[in-house]
Amino acid sequence: MNMPRLLPVLCCAVYFFLLAPILVVVLASFNAGAFLTFPPQGLSLRWYRTFFHNAVFLRAFIESMEIAVAATSISAVIGTMAALFSMRTTPALANIVRLGMTLPLVLPEVLTAIGLLFFFYAMGIGVHYSVALLVGHVLLTLPFIYINVSTSLRSFDPSWELAARSLGASPFVTFYRVTMPLMKSGLTSGCLFGFIVSFDAFSTSFLLKDVGTATLPIQLFDYLRLNFTPEAAAVSTFSIIVTFLIVIMTKTIFGIRFTK
Amino acid sequence: MTTVAIENLTRHFGRTRALDDISLSIDDGHFVSFLGPSGCGKSTTLRVLAGFDACDRGRILFDGQDVAALPPEQRDIGMVFQSYALFPHMTVGQNVAFGLEMRRLPRDAIRQRVRAVLDLVHLADHSDRHPRQLSGGQQQRVALARALVIEPRILLLDEPLANLDAILREEMRVFIRELQQRIGITTIYVTHDQAEAMAMSDMIVVMFGGRVAQVAPPRDLYECPGSLQVASFVGQANYLAGHVAHDNGQLAVVTPLGTRPLDGRSAITAPAPARNILIRPESICITPPAASDAVPATVISVQYGGNLTNYVLALADGQQLHVQTATPPSHAGGDRVGVRLADAPLWVIPDCRP
Amino acid sequence: MRKYLLIVPAVVVLLVFLVIPYIDIIFISLHPAADDRPYGSGFTLRNYVQVLTDGYLVHQTAMTLWIGLVTTCATLVLGFPVAWFMAHSSARARAIQQGIVLMPLLVGIVVRSYGWTVILGNNGILNRLARDIGLTRSVLPLMYNSLGIVIALTHVFLPFMILPIFGTIRSLDPALFLAGRSLGASPAITMRRVILPLTMPGIQSGCVLVFILSVSAYVTPMLIGGMRVKTMPMTVVNTLIDAFQWPFGAAQALVLSAIGALIVLVFFRLTPLRWSR
Ligand SMILES: Nc1ncnc2c1ncn2[C@@H]1O[C@H](COP(=O)(O)OP(=O)(O)O)[C@@H](O)[C@H]1O
Ligand SMILES: [Mg+2]
């Protein structure tokens, strides 16, 4: 198909636009100077050293990991069950379930978090024990698990389960030997998406975090309001590296492709 | 081996009555087909037998043992699905071995039996392929092997040939029937294709709207259908108004095309007025228009079918007749011809007035 | 039936933690404020009246919606050609481009906004560059204004525009474009009369997604606007958390959402769906 000459040029410009701020942050993190200057005044890892000695950031990083793992695990169970239900029920009901499960994705995150804040105060729990935070993150991750598992179940033939049963497999063995392997790729990519979304979430964490705790994005945000040293860039780059490592690990362990 | 008895099976889906008081017994080693139009409850019957679906009422006995309370995995059945339902993440060998693994057979025994059954379906060298690398016919044979390798008490097949092309379908008919007879396994086969049911079965169960309409061997079903509905579903049929009368001390059927003896399998024992007489297309002969005891007719259309020729004729009163001959077409539309009945006893459709 | 047990947890979670909280927001917005509790007793519409008559808030709401609209247009203008180009690239080139488009989604929103402060700041890369090549002697106002916010939001939400449009273009029959041409239409006319209407579903979901996301964005306007430009989500959070005025904050959030939803509806009305399937 013949395309206008300008199209590739425009697209490259857009791709540059998409990558620029990320590249800038990564490059800035290796800055040897005390201030964010560009191009960097020499290369060094000094801001990483500062970061690794900064207990506040490390605690926030661990908090982020914990909440992302917990929320993704809970969502994985609930979302997978819902996806299995959608597969087994009538198309009309499955459609309603799909609408419900993608609702948290369509509703404004800030508004949902406000609702949860009010709700948990009314329950008398407030933001204590990170319960509200966990629930907020479950809502954030749930749609991703559901969508991915559902997609991988779209070509699932319910007869597979019946065939296994007729061959003598109990419901549990059927799930373990037939259903699970066939939806594994969807569940894996769903968990991956969920984890990343939770790990990077801001508004929900900001409104629902327990007093005195912070996730990494929040700690970073707080820091950025007052400071402009390249330590923020080091923290950012570190969180980018963690995310990419998780993606690559999942890819190699579970062998899923990351497109789609 | 195994006999199957079904007693008063009833199943509702909401307000639809999918199964309505089905009773049936199946002899050991028999090949029984459930035949009927789509939505008549064939699959539901099979699913209830397999234990995938519960029934509202009724009993299912395998060898006299009530299995209604058993989950599918404990019923010891082999099932072949319309979609084949081969596990896509397992190779052919793993698919076939699955049922044996569930029965906790030793590895060596599993390997041997998988080999043997794949030999049986001529797929011994496809053991390491995945289902998607096989043709439709090969997948079908794997599904069959997977169901048979566990040596189930009964074999259930739900429209297994529906996804194959015409030529392969005919081949597989022969293959399945031959295999079934060699193993001698009690088999229940669901299909909406009457030719398939006729070709393969010892006994055919015709179903309409969740009810059993007739249970009979293929030949009886074709020649002596119990109702107009069955007669029309199994093969093509002409119906002539006629009556049963005494003729030389015998009961005979009088039709506009002539009089012939009453079929011996009929329950009619006395003369009866105004009945529907079944005339199959091949029981009508086309003669020259002036032949003796022939009734005049006009050719409306001719359809050439290679080994057979199908005619649509019209009698003087306008009634249309379907006629089938084993000779090449010898008439064209508009020709005037004569028709007479073949010299065979006639079947009167029970309790059915024209 | 046993299979309904599978959906019970999801229904409970969505009902208790989504439906009820949203009803609660409406409920609270209809109550008067109180000093010692989150909200007082009695029913009132005063919070809404207050939001709709306060000139400052009205201006801010309009500003927020305007930023949302401009961001949506910008992502559409940049996103459509990219989606088109991606869809018509070779498999290998397409995979690389998909990677580039997805990559920003793997990087947190705080980090990406931070990247923009480094680029757009008064001492940032662009300003430095402009000064170095002698383009200007004073500071270019790129940050701390709505221009900066729109630039950053466009970056942050561009993937959400590209991906749905890419999806619909991929599902189009490539022969359609040729068919249009063969019937005598110029490329531009084929684009406008054939391709655009057929990609409408993708354009619509992209636009709605980006609009909702950018109107309710909090981090990016906060970091780029540096408190000098305030959008409604910032005010809502201030009212709720810092001023502890729940009913008033709830009303602000609901008014913004209601107007946003209205704009989405009007948008659906205006964009013809009658060609698409
Ligand atoms: N799970 C179900 N829920 C509701 N109705 C069903 C279900 N399964 C079958 N039916 C209905 O029961 C009737 C018989 O279906 P079935 O046994 O599948 O027919 P077939 O003879 O074509 O195999 C049909 O009217 C069908 O709509
Ligand atoms: Mg069926």
Side-chain angles (χ1 to χ4, degrees):
Chain A
M1 188 160 300
N2 73 19
M3 279 185 267
R5 283 277 166 70
L6 235 55
L7 195 53
V9 179
L10 172 74
C11 288
C12 285
V14 172
Y15 295 143
F16 180 73
F17 172 71
L18 277 174
L19 296 181
I22 302 170
L23 290 177
V24 163
V25 168
V26 173
L27 289 180
S29 72
F30 297 107
N31 194 341
F35 296 99
L36 260 185
T37 49
F38 216 90
Q41 315 160 311
L43 294 176
S44 97
L45 290 175
R46 80 178 254 214
W47 294 109
Y48 286 90
R49 228 169 297 132
T50 319
F51 162 47
F52 289 130
H53 287 99
N54 188 335
V56 178
F57 271 130
L58 288 182
R59 213 174 321 121
F61 170 69
I62 290 169
E63 171 92 16
S64 274
M65 288 297 254
E66 281 173 358
I67 201 84
V69 168
T72 308
S73 309
I74 295 172
S75 291
V77 175
I78 300 176
T80 304
M81 286 168 74
L84 285 171
F85 174 80
S86 299
M87 174 188 84
R88 288 179 192 161
T89 192
T90 57
L93 206 50
N95 226 0
I96 296 174
V97 172
R98 189 175 54 78
L99 282 180
M101 296 298 287
T102 46
L103 207 54
L105 206 59
V106 187
L107 295 170
E109 188 187 334
V110 179
L111 203 56
T112 308
I114 291 171
L116 282 175
L117 188 65
F118 291 172
F119 177 80
F120 278 99
Y121 267 107
M123 292 288 102
I125 305 172
V127 293
H128 295 304
Y129 319 116
S130 297
V131 181
L133 184 63
L134 184 61
V135 169
H137 279 243
V138 166
L139 284 180
L140 281 180
T141 50
L142 198 53
F144 292 93
I145 309 275
Y146 175 81
I147 292 170
N148 279 281
V149 177
S150 282
T151 307
S152 72
L153 286 179
R154 199 150 48 191
S155 54
F156 193 92
D157 181 355
S159 302
W160 287 329
E161 290 180 332
L162 302 185
R165 298 291 300 280
S166 78
L167 291 168
S170 65
F172 177 76
V173 173
T174 302
F175 179 77
Y176 176 74
R177 290 281 311 267
V178 176
T179 318
M180 190 63 194
L182 288 170
M183 65 178 193
K184 198 182 72 187
S185 72
L187 183 57
T188 313
S189 46
C191 287
L192 192 61
F193 272 115
F195 182 89
I196 291 167
V197 165
S198 167
F199 189 75
D200 291 334
F202 182 81
S203 302
T204 300
S205 308
F206 185 67
L207 287 168
L208 298 176
K209 72 186 171 67
D210 196 352
V211 183
T213 67
T215 61
L216 195 56
I218 294 187
Q219 200 61 58
L220 187 60
F221 179 77
D222 273 354
Y223 183 88
L224 284 174
R225 286 210 280 189
L226 304 171
N227 305 280
F228 289 97
T229 66
E231 184 177 353
V235 175
S236 303
T237 308
F238 178 71
S239 91
I240 294 175
I241 290 170
V242 167
T243 316
F244 276 78
L245 275 183
I246 288 171
V247 172
I248 291 165
M249 259 163 49
T250 323
K251 251 179 90 167
T252 46
I253 295 173
F254 296 98
I256 58 151
R257 274 159 302 161
F258 194 63
T259 52
K260 189 169 80 163
Chain B
M1 295 269 289
T2 309
T3 61
V4 178
I6 301 170
E7 296 174 1
N8 312 105
L9 223 52
T10 302
R11 175 72 166 114
H12 291 84
F13 288 111
R15 308 192 58 187
T16 335
R17 189 173 290 198
L19 299 184
D20 189 358
D21 201 27
I22 307 255
S23 293
L24 184 75
S25 71
I26 297 171
D27 287 343
D28 176 32
H30 263 205
F31 191 115
V32 174
S33 292
F34 280 74
L35 174 66
S38 173
C40 72
K42 308 177 300 279
S43 296
T44 306
T45 313
L46 213 62
R47 292 166 57 88
V48 171
L49 280 176
F52 298 142
D53 218 333
C55 52
D56 304 334
R57 204 157 58 75
R59 299 208 303 164
I60 302 162
L61 307 172
F62 290 177
D63 279 332
Q65 174 208 0
D66 191 343
V67 296
L70 292 180
E73 63 268 25
Q74 288 169 28
R75 291 196 184 188
D76 204 10
I77 47 165
M79 180 134 182
V80 176
F81 296 82
Q82 181 174 344
S83 59
Y84 315 137
L86 298 178
F87 306 131
H89 59 304
M90 300 183 192
T91 63
V92 168
Q94 287 166 340
N95 263 281
V96 176
F98 186 87
L100 298 174
E101 283 168 25
M102 293 302 119
R103 283 161 177 73
R104 303 193 185 288
L105 259 64
R107 269 170 191 283
D108 284 343
I110 292 182
R111 206 172 308 131
Q112 269 174 17
R113 278 171 69 170
V114 169
R115 245 206 108 65
V117 80
L118 285 179
D119 264 336
L120 201 63
V121 296
H122 314 310
L123 284 173
D125 48 349
H126 289 65
S127 176
D128 294 327
R129 302 247 188 119
H130 277 272
R132 62 178 171 276
Q133 298 168 299
L134 302 182
S135 71
Q138 289 171 328
Q139 291 182 22
Q140 164 74 72
R141 298 206 304 267
V142 175
L144 207 56
R146 187 178 67 176
L148 287 175
V149 74
I150 55 173
E151 297 180 359
R153 292 204 280 187
I154 52 173
L155 179 63
L156 306 175
L157 304 102
D158 191 353
E159 312 232 8
L161 306 184
N163 292 346
L164 301 179
D165 62 57
I167 296 172
L168 206 54
R169 201 151 54 209
E170 304 228 343
E171 263 176 43
M172 285 304 295
R173 274 185 205 169
V174 179
F175 181 80
I176 292 177
R177 175 60 168 163
E178 203 192 84
L179 200 62
Q180 185 266 338
Q181 290 201 311
R182 187 138 39 109
I183 304 173
I185 186 171
T186 309
T187 300
I188 301 179
Y189 188 97
V190 161
T191 180
H192 64 262
D193 180 342
Q194 48 106 7
E196 208 169 280
M198 301 277 253
M200 300 172 80
S201 324
D202 294 310
M203 193 69 86
I204 295 177
V205 181
V206 183
M207 287 182 71
F208 291 113
R211 291 176 154 273
V212 172
Q214 189 171 359
V215 182
R219 188 162 169 198
D220 284 359
L221 197 68
Y222 187 70
E223 294 175 355
C224 314
S227 67
L228 208 59
Q229 213 176 8
V230 174
S232 309
F233 192 72
V234 181
Q236 216 175 21
N238 298 296
Y239 307 104
L240 293 177
H243 62 273
V244 181
H246 281 294
D247 182 42
N248 295 333
Q250 264 190 327
L251 283 179
V253 184
V254 183
T255 76
L257 298 187
T259 304
R260 294 288 182 275
L262 177 67
D263 192 297
R265 289 164 288 189
S266 177
I268 297 174
T269 53
R275 287 311 177 98
N276 245 327
I277 317 298
L278 171 72
I279 317 272
R280 293 292 183 187
E282 65 279 10
S283 319
I284 299 176
C285 310
I286 298 179
T287 65
S292 64
D293 74 344
V295 175
T298 312
V299 177
I300 292 182
S301 68
V302 186
Q303 213 185 15
Y304 177 58
N307 54 343
L308 299 167
T309 309
N310 291 296
Y311 295 91
V312 178
L313 308 179
L315 295 178
D317 62 0
Q319 180 171 14
Q320 294 205 346
L321 288 180
H322 293 273
V323 178
Q324 192 175 66
T325 68
T327 52
S330 48
H331 304 282
D335 285 1
R336 304 202 152 271
V337 295
V339 289
R340 57 178 280 272
L341 293 177
D343 292 319
L346 290 181
W347 177 253
V348 178
I349 295 174
D351 295 329
C352 177
R353 286 154 209 290
Chain C
M1 286 243 274
R2 271 224 332 261
K3 77 173 176 201
Y4 287 97
L5 287 179
L6 286 172
I7 195 67
V8 170
V11 170
V12 169
V13 165
L14 291 178
L15 217 59
V16 174
F17 298 126
L18 202 67
V19 176
I20 293 180
Y22 267 83
I23 295 173
D24 199 27
I25 297 178
I26 300 174
F27 179 79
I28 288 178
S29 75
L30 294 170
H31 280 75
D35 291 334
D36 49 340
R37 287 162 296 150
Y39 55 93
S41 53
F43 170 87
T44 176
L45 283 173
R46 248 207 29 231
N47 300 309
Y48 288 96
V49 175
Q50 207 178 335
V51 175
L52 293 171
T53 52
D54 183 328
Y56 178 65
L57 284 181
V58 170
H59 171 257
Q60 223 179 75
T61 306
M63 174 79 166
T64 307
L65 294 169
W66 177 244
I67 287 178
L69 282 176
V70 175
T71 304
T72 309
C73 294
T75 51
L76 179 61
V77 167
L78 293 180
F80 190 91
V82 171
W84 176 264
F85 183 68
M86 250 166 85
H88 292 99
S89 300
S90 68
R92 199 189 164 80
R94 190 165 58 238
I96 295 172
Q97 294 177 71
Q98 272 177 305
I100 295 176
V101 172
L102 283 170
M103 178 126 102
L105 296 181
L106 298 182
V107 179
I109 197 162
V110 178
V111 174
R112 284 187 282 161
S113 305
Y114 167 52
W116 280 110
T117 63
V118 178
I119 296 174
L120 300 174
N122 289 347
N123 248 324
I125 298 172
L126 283 182
N127 261 310
R128 197 90 49 91
L129 206 65
R131 238 172 296 159
D132 287 354
I133 54 176
L135 203 67
T136 170
R137 209 156 293 156
S138 61
V139 169
L140 290 175
L142 298 171
M143 216 171 112
Y144 310 117
N145 57 21
S146 48
L147 171 69
I149 295 178
V150 167
I151 293 178
L153 284 179
T154 301
H155 170 263
V156 168
F157 299 131
L158 190 54
F160 294 104
M161 183 65 86
I162 296 177
L163 294 175
I165 298 179
F166 170 73
T168 47
I169 295 180
R170 284 281 286 166
S171 67
L172 286 187
D173 183 352
L176 280 170
F177 195 80
L178 301 180
R181 298 295 304 279
S182 75
L183 293 170
S186 69
I189 291 183
T190 310
M191 200 67 185
R192 198 166 51 93
R193 297 278 307 273
V194 181
I195 305 298
L196 219 48
L198 285 171
T199 45
M200 220 32 171
I203 294 176
Q204 280 178 336
S205 34
C207 286
V208 169
L209 208 56
V210 171
F211 182 69
I212 294 177
L213 286 170
S214 47
V215 166
S216 59
Y218 178 82
V219 188
T220 310
M222 188 86 178
L223 280 174
I224 308 285
M227 302 302 276
R228 263 168 265 187
V229 183
K230 287 188 86 177
T231 60
M232 269 315 272
M234 292 155 77
T235 308
V236 170
V237 171
N238 271 344
T239 313
L240 288 172
I241 306 289
D242 303 333
F244 204 59
Q245 295 177 319
W246 284 15
F248 188 37
Q252 291 171 356
L254 286 176
V255 167
L256 181 68
S257 307
I259 299 176
L262 207 67
I263 291 176
V264 169
L265 281 182
V266 169
F267 169 75
F268 270 118
R269 262 292 155 84
L270 290 183
T271 50
L273 250 184
R274 77 193 127 100
W275 295 296
S276 61
R277 252 170 268 213

